Amino acid sequence: KSPQAKLIFTTSLLLGTTMTISSNHWITAWAGLEINTLAILPLISKPHHPRSIEAATKYFITQATASALILFSSMTNAWYTGQWDITQLTHPTSCIILTSALAMKLGLVPFHFWFPEVLQGSQLITGLLLSTAMKLPPISLLFMTSPSLNPTLLTYMAILSTALGGWMGLNQTQIRKILAFSSISHLGWMTIIISYNPKLTLLNFYLYTLMTMTVFLALDTMKTSKLSTLMTAWTKTPSLNAMLLLTLLSLAGLPPLTGFLPKWLIIQELTKQNMILVAMLISLLSLLGLFFYLRLSYCATITLPPHTTNHIKQWHTNKPTRTSMAILSTLSILLLPMSPLITTIM
């Protein structure tokens, strides 16, 4: 792609996201979401390969349906209440339609089927955009409408997302699909707390974005997309692989690392709300995710492939790693001691 086209798509992505986040009126929020969808489609279909064209088509159909549902719910609400304000969503039918529309936009269970397929069909950097930047507008809409939405429905969807994200990620060999299922289970954690403490949802989203950026950029630097190629990638950039190990464990939410912070705060908030059983269930379900993160990190650093002769070892590169990678990986691993500061800011 030419730099001009790239510039147009990037600017459109920023414009669409900013429009949705800063809008008060449903129509401007919807317009922002549409601009975003249209800007990312050429990026998904950039490699002229049947799989990426298929991914772009699937993405377009689901996002268009979700946008139509958002429009439908806001119009129903305006019909009954005379209000177009995002925060004034009071009609129960509108709330249910909006919940399903945002779940479709985000890839929450039961509207999650498109997400692993689309991520598998796109390049790593586009996959990073789909997992992080494209989730921000729907999450901000969820944040703004959270007082009106049905907490029981959100809790059920969140638990199902964490369960299915964990289970379906277990038997995958493609790294992008594993990361897609990890995204679905993280979205479960974000959704479960949105009705009780929406700021924790945002904190979880920011930290998830930080860790996912580190993982995707590391994989992009190593040029790996399957577990089998990840096994031999350690010869190429050993130090980056060590950082990838720690970042994956942080994404799993293990205690001394950054990823433990949102899980800890969410469990604490759920127990304050007397939702002990829900907190226990979601914590146990996140162990499924831990299993495939361990598998990824084991492939990345700890194993030599069993038949070393069948695998082509990659040359060790002395090319310096990007500074952004160093900053991101440090933040994805070492932010836990700063938790008191982060919680006071939030």
Side-chain angles (χ1 to χ4, degrees), residues 207 250 254-262 264-265 329-344:
L207 293 178
S250 182
L254 286 185
L257 306 165
T258 306
F260 178 60
L261 174 61
W264 176 26
L265 293 174
S329 48
T330 310
L331 290 175
S332 332
I333 296 163
L334 298 173
L335 272 185
L336 191 68
M338 290 182 66
S339 47
L341 176 68
I342 295 168
T343 45
T344 50

Side-chain angles (χ1 to χ4, degrees), residues 86-129:
I86 291 180
T87 51
Q88 302 293 321
L89 192 80
T90 48
H91 195 260
T93 313
S94 299
C95 291
I96 289 170
I97 296 170
L98 183 82
T99 308
S100 51
L102 290 177
M104 203 182 286
K105 279 265 177 214
L106 289 165
L108 268 172
V109 173
F111 308 103
H112 64 288
F113 298 101
W114 63 273
F115 189 55
E117 298 295 323
V118 170
L119 217 60
Q120 182 54 34
S122 43
Q123 294 171 316
L124 278 167
I125 298 298
T126 316
L128 169 61
L129 281 174

Side-chain angles (χ1 to χ4, degrees), residues 167-180:
W167 258 310
M168 292 172 80
L170 290 179
N171 62 343
Q172 301 295 333
T173 55
Q174 294 286 341
I175 296 173
R176 279 166 297 186
K177 275 201 171 174
I178 293 177
L179 289 170

Side-chain angles (χ1 to χ4, degrees), residues 95-96 99 145-156 195-196:
C95 291
I96 289 170
T99 308
T145 54
S146 58
S148 328
L149 303 178
N150 183 351
T152 318
L153 177 64
L154 288 171
T155 306
Y156 277 122
S195 302
Y196 309 105

